[in-house]
Amino acid sequence: MFKKYDIIVVGAGHAGCEAAAAAARMGSSVLLITMSMTNMAQMSCNPSMGGIAKGQIVREIDALGGLSGIVTDHTMIQFRMLNRSKGPAMWSPRAQSDRMRFSEKWRELLESIPNLDFWQDLVTGIRCNEGKVVGVFTALRMEIDADALILTNGTFLNGTIHIGEKTFSGGRIGESSAFHLTENLNELGFEHARMKTGTPVRVDGRSIDFSRLEEQKGDEQPGKFSYTDTPPLLRQRSCYVAYTDPDVHDVLRKGFDKSPLFTGRIKGRGPRYCPSIEDKIERFSHRDRHQLFVEPEGWNTAEYYLNGFSSSLPEDIQYEALRKIKGFEHARIFRPGYAIEYDYFPPVQLLPTLETKIVERLYFAGQINGTTGYEEAAAQGLMAGINAHLKLHKGNEFVLKRSEAYIGVLIDDLVTKGVDEPYRMFTSRAEFRILLRQDNADFRLTPKGFDLGLISKERNEQVLHKQEQIDEVVKWMKGESVSPEQINPHLETIKSAPISQKIKIFQILLRPEVSLQGLLEVLPNASSKIRSFGISDKESLEKMEILVKYETYIIKEQEMADKLTKFEDLVLKDDFDYQQLTSISFEAREKLSRIKPRTIGQASRIPGVSPADISVLIVYISR
Ligand SMILES: Cc1cc2nc3c(=O)[nH]c(=O)nc-3n(C[C@H](O)[C@H](O)[C@H](O)COP(=O)(O)OP(=O)(O)OC[C@H]3O[C@@H](n4cnc5c(N)ncnc54)[C@H](O)[C@@H]3O)c2cc1C
């Protein structure tokens, strides 16, 4: 019934969809096997994409030719650029999505890819021969052949759902969990562990009194995630802000003796930065209120997601506590909150390509690697799809450096440091934040996406051309002066010190209180000159302003990144015998032997390997 495929992808979550799309668009024949074709790219938790550091990841996925940004643009109902008051390294786009349309759009895009096939089934085992993948076994007793396999099982492996004292098996509420695969992977030599996550109640919007909540509108000029010509967002839905109070906390506390979290029934580690409401009132008992975001689930539904109220307390306690919140006195709920425990595979068992070290041509991507979040999952899926295709057809690999992309930071952290709690991306994890901005993801990555065959020639040329235009304008601003008569009235209105003699536009723009937009309004000549370079769109003007204002920092970070690259270029062989290096610590020898870093750079980031150990290694390999 089935032909032999180049690649099988297991699971159509965010990781699986990106993996299947990338590998098939690069030219592999791909079969995407998933338990439910109606739940593809489900947003298991909040209906939103992006946010701090995650927004940068979605932009990077798009710049490389992935599809998450395009799907988000087509399905968003609100857009906000977070952290605008901070420096541009911190600006992070976030969109509220229509949950149902998000899933539908993904399916539509996937079905438009010619060499991508689909099969609804449960994969129960991996077929291997001489340490290499040869296919899968499924619950429908199929044996399907493939040269490579990408596992993206999310929260489904032996998933257990908890609501109060009730415990039942499931990968998400209403969906069954995936059995046998963990045990099969254990037999092949893989280690696994347990993690936990949770989700809040979904509320019937018809029963909420919005007049008692604070409205949170989207940006007046909403942006987008994709660099392609996706449609602009013309109308938006509002979110709302609500607060818990001591009465709400008292009701929640009544359920603590039945909480699977506090009674010890949940063993897996949960996401520290996304705790349940019971966790928050226990850990921060001095705080008498917590902020909640009331987020619409789509254009045409009354369902609302109550961000910040995640809970696994009994459903009657969740309901009673909800009704104590201002604006929710008469609230009805569609679904209760719950917690879920699932198996994950510590990612130090992976190479930087996301291929496993134990079984060749087997790749893991997404939550199976101990991460949390759609964006982190999608990024890994894209990279696994690319690398599985390259391994089969070109024999090379695609690994991003920490100085090139958040995706590089993510995967390097996973395979080098491992995880002991659900890993989510933060800007603080990246040492080159000013280089890895959301505005320049296309300059950083689109040429790479083109080399991979995921970006069209035309799109790549447009990006290169834009980069040239922007560089030209910045150069022009460094050479062009303005006189006191031209600029002082404007400087006065924005309370900036007047100038006494001619000064370069570039110098003026370095002042924090001066904006490029403001300058162009009072300098019509400069405005028409910039237009003559072919630049008029808001995004390019923003890019230019950032390049001017942060030039010194950008140069400094680039120099540091270049220095680090030297270490990244010092390659360590896979079969290097670290035990022979008796002058480095026992811990370093043990960890280096286990993790088998690819480069001196990666070795230096392994916890427990000291700078002194690295010096010895450098001396040794330099010989
Ligand atoms: C209750 C809950 C709460 C969450 N809360 C948060 C949160 O607060 N913040 C956050 O960032 N993230 C949260 N997440 C996590 C977020 O949903 C995931 O990080 C993200 O969806 C992971 O994407 P993925 O592609 O790795 O896996 P998933 O989106 O879980 O997709 C896995 C896919 O694989 C399929 N599958 C699994 N096993 C098999 C098999 N053997 N055979 C065939 N198909 C299979 C499933 O049907 C599914 O389609 C939550 C998830 C859940 C379930």
Side-chain angles (χ1 to χ4, degrees):
M1 183 172 154
F2 288 106
K3 65 179 183 185
K4 179 182 177 199
Y5 285 91
D6 289 334
I7 299 170
I8 290 177
V9 176
V10 179
H14 307 268
C17 289
E18 285 287 2
R25 289 174 59 227
M26 288 170 80
S28 282
S29 61
V30 178
L31 178 67
L32 176 56
I33 307 180
T34 195
M35 283 160 66
S36 164
M37 292 277 299
T38 34
N39 285 337
M40 289 166 75
Q42 244 333 287
M43 298 178 125
S44 315
C45 199
N46 55 332
S48 90
M49 281 296 271
I52 294 163
K54 289 163 171 274
Q56 282 85 326
I57 292 182
V58 181
R59 295 283 269 174
E60 291 177 356
I61 291 172
D62 183 75
L64 281 170
L67 302 180
S68 293
I70 294 176
V71 172
T72 307
D73 286 354
H74 277 276
T75 59
M76 64 186 168
I77 61 178
Q78 191 198 70
F79 179 95
R80 291 200 306 137
M81 184 64 81
L82 306 184
N83 275 342
R84 267 230 188 251
S85 58
K86 300 188 178 157
M90 305 299 279
W91 294 6
S92 304
R94 180 185 191 275
Q96 207 61 45
S97 275
D98 182 309
R99 181 192 301 281
M100 286 156 282
R101 290 193 188 177
F102 188 90
S103 172
E104 259 171 45
K105 187 72 196 173
W106 252 117
R107 184 160 168 176
E108 179 196 322
L109 292 183
L110 290 174
E111 286 181 10
S112 72
I113 301 172
N115 41 339
L116 174 55
D117 290 347
F118 303 89
W119 180 244
Q120 178 170 299
D121 202 344
L122 172 76
V123 169
T124 50
I126 297 164
R127 292 167 46 229
C128 290
N129 188 14
E130 294 177 358
K132 285 194 182 111
V133 159
V134 293
V136 293
F137 297 109
T138 78
L140 291 176
R141 300 204 192 125
M142 301 281 187
E143 290 188 15
I144 312 174
D145 299 331
D147 287 328
L149 177 64
I150 305 176
L151 293 184
T152 69
N153 303 72
T155 52
F156 285 71
L157 294 173
N158 293 322
T160 308
I161 290 175
H162 300 271
I163 307 177
E165 290 176 311
K166 296 172 207 161
T167 297
F168 47 96
S169 136
R172 258 187 311 238
I173 204 149
E175 292 178 65
S176 63
S177 58
F179 297 109
H180 306 305
L181 207 49
T182 298
E183 296 69 24
N184 180 233
L185 286 163
N186 291 154
E187 281 161 19
L188 291 169
F190 291 96
E191 284 172 22
H192 82 278
R194 295 286 268 176
M195 273 184 183
K196 148 292 142 172
T197 186
T199 196
V201 288
R202 309 298 199 272
V203 187
D204 182 343
R206 296 169 301 175
S207 63
I208 302 173
D209 180 356
F210 291 102
S211 68
R212 308 197 70 195
L213 310 181
E214 290 166 25
E215 187 174 4
Q216 193 177 56
K217 290 183 187 278
D219 285 358
E220 269 177 30
Q221 292 182 305
K224 296 196 304 165
F225 281 92
S226 178
Y227 292 97
T228 64
D229 57 357
T230 47
L233 185 60
L234 299 176
R235 60 191 175 109
Q236 303 192 57
R237 281 197 72 175
S238 292
C239 296
Y240 296 84
V241 179
Y243 295 93
T244 61
D245 63 23
D247 285 350
V248 179
H249 298 180
D250 285 346
V251 175
L252 289 167
R253 278 197 194 92
K254 281 197 312 188
F256 278 12
D257 60 337
K258 295 191 176 119
S259 155
L261 204 63
F262 299 139
T263 53
R265 263 187 307 120
I266 291 182
K267 304 265 184 310
R269 284 285 280 275
R272 185 196 319 207
Y273 304 99
C274 212
S276 63
I277 186 70
E278 51 267 32
D279 222 7
K280 282 192 271 193
I281 60 176
E282 183 71 357
R283 270 171 39 201
F284 308 104
S285 53
H286 56 286
R287 290 181 57 181
D288 58 12
R289 71 174 199 171
H290 292 280
Q291 198 175 39
L292 306 173
F293 295 93
V294 188
E295 304 175 345
E297 293 254 351
W299 288 118
N300 302 318
T301 173
E303 190 166 3
Y304 276 79
Y305 175 91
L306 194 54
N307 194 341
F309 207 63
S310 167
S311 179
S312 55
L313 290 171
E315 63 277 6
D316 55 340
I317 295 284
Q318 294 184 35
Y319 183 60
E320 195 185 331
L322 176 75
R323 286 191 153 212
K324 293 275 177 203
I325 299 171
K326 257 195 211 105
F328 289 79
E329 291 82 354
H330 305 289
R332 295 184 297 274
I333 62 176
F334 284 169
R335 317 172 202 218
Y338 64 93
I340 182 164
E341 278 184 292
Y342 53 91
D343 297 337
Y344 79 97
F345 287 81
V348 288
Q349 302 174 92
L350 303 176
L351 298 168
T353 55
L354 298 180
E355 186 180 14
T356 68
K357 291 174 183 169
I358 298 179
V359 177
E360 210 182 327
R361 298 181 184 169
L362 173 63
Y363 296 77
F364 290 173
Q367 192 126 351
I368 189 176
N369 287 336
T371 59
T372 172
Y374 314 133
E375 304 80 0
E376 290 85 346
Q380 293 169 65
L382 174 67
M383 296 299 279
I386 291 171
N387 276 304
H389 171 85
L390 291 179
K391 173 124 189 176
L392 294 185
H393 300 283
K394 304 233 164 116
N396 59 340
E397 58 185 44
F398 182 65
V399 175
L400 287 165
K401 295 195 184 88
R402 296 180 73 90
S403 55
E404 288 176 326
Y406 272 94
I407 300 176
V409 175
L410 165 73
I411 294 178
D412 184 61
D413 277 352
L414 293 178
V415 305
T416 308
K417 298 179 189 161
V419 292
D420 53 12
E421 59 183 290
Y423 179 103
R424 85 167 262 195
M425 185 49 77
F426 293 105
T427 46
S428 56
R429 296 199 193 267
E431 44 285 76
F432 304 110
R433 287 192 281 283
I434 195 81
L435 299 183
L436 308 185
R437 306 183 312 273
Q438 60 83 30
D439 67 278
N440 69 352
D442 55 344
F443 291 174
R444 290 186 274 125
L445 300 172
T446 296
K448 293 182 194 293
F450 170 67
D451 291 341
L452 291 166
L454 286 170
I455 295 277
S456 69
K457 185 163 177 260
E458 188 194 5
R459 179 172 166 191
N460 189 44
E461 277 170 2
Q462 274 169 5
V463 169
L464 296 177
H465 182 56
K466 178 130 292 170
Q467 196 161 10
E468 265 169 33
Q469 288 172 319
I470 289 180
D471 289 347
E472 286 286 311
V473 177
V474 173
K475 210 162 108 195
W476 176 79
M477 285 196 284
K478 284 183 175 169
E480 188 69 16
S481 301
V482 282
S483 64
E485 299 75 52
Q486 280 174 299
I487 199 68
N488 277 350
H490 175 63
L491 294 179
E492 208 173 301
T493 53
I494 58 167
K495 297 192 173 62
S496 188
I499 56 172
S500 51
Q501 57 190 41
K502 278 191 159 193
I503 185 168
K504 303 281 186 250
I505 297 181
F506 184 90
Q507 291 303 89
I508 292 270
L509 195 49
L510 284 177
R511 297 182 179 188
E513 65 280 13
V514 175
S515 75
L516 180 58
Q517 196 62 43
L519 278 189
L520 296 184
E521 277 164 24
V522 295
L523 300 174
N525 289 349
S527 177
S528 54
K529 183 77 191 172
I530 287 179
R531 272 202 305 276
S532 78
F533 282 106
I535 288 182
S536 56
D537 61 298
K538 181 172 161 266
E539 197 167 277
S540 299
L541 291 174
E542 242 167 40
K543 267 188 167 107
M544 235 151 49
E545 181 162 355
I546 292 168
L547 284 178
V548 172
K549 284 205 189 304
Y550 293 86
E551 191 185 57
T552 328
Y553 302 99
I554 293 171
I555 292 173
K556 222 185 249 170
E557 269 199 8
Q558 192 57 60
E559 283 170 3
M560 274 165 61
D562 292 343
K563 262 190 213 155
L564 193 88
T565 301
K566 284 186 199 143
F567 276 146
E568 296 299 333
D569 289 343
L570 288 178
V571 176
L572 292 162
K573 287 199 177 129
D574 269 1
D575 57 0
F576 190 91
D577 178 11
Y578 294 97
Q579 298 304 336
Q580 64 176 314
L581 299 180
T582 45
S583 49
I584 67 173
S585 70
F586 176 77
E587 183 185 0
R589 260 180 283 159
E590 192 268 322
K591 289 200 166 146
L592 289 163
S593 306
R594 189 158 59 87
I595 294 174
K596 295 194 175 72
R598 283 284 185 80
T599 64
I600 288 284
Q602 192 190 354
S604 70
R605 294 187 289 275
I606 298 174
V609 177
S610 69
D613 298 326
I614 292 298
S615 307
V616 175
L617 257 181
I618 291 175
V619 170
Y620 192 88
I621 63 165
S622 320
R623 281 197 215 134

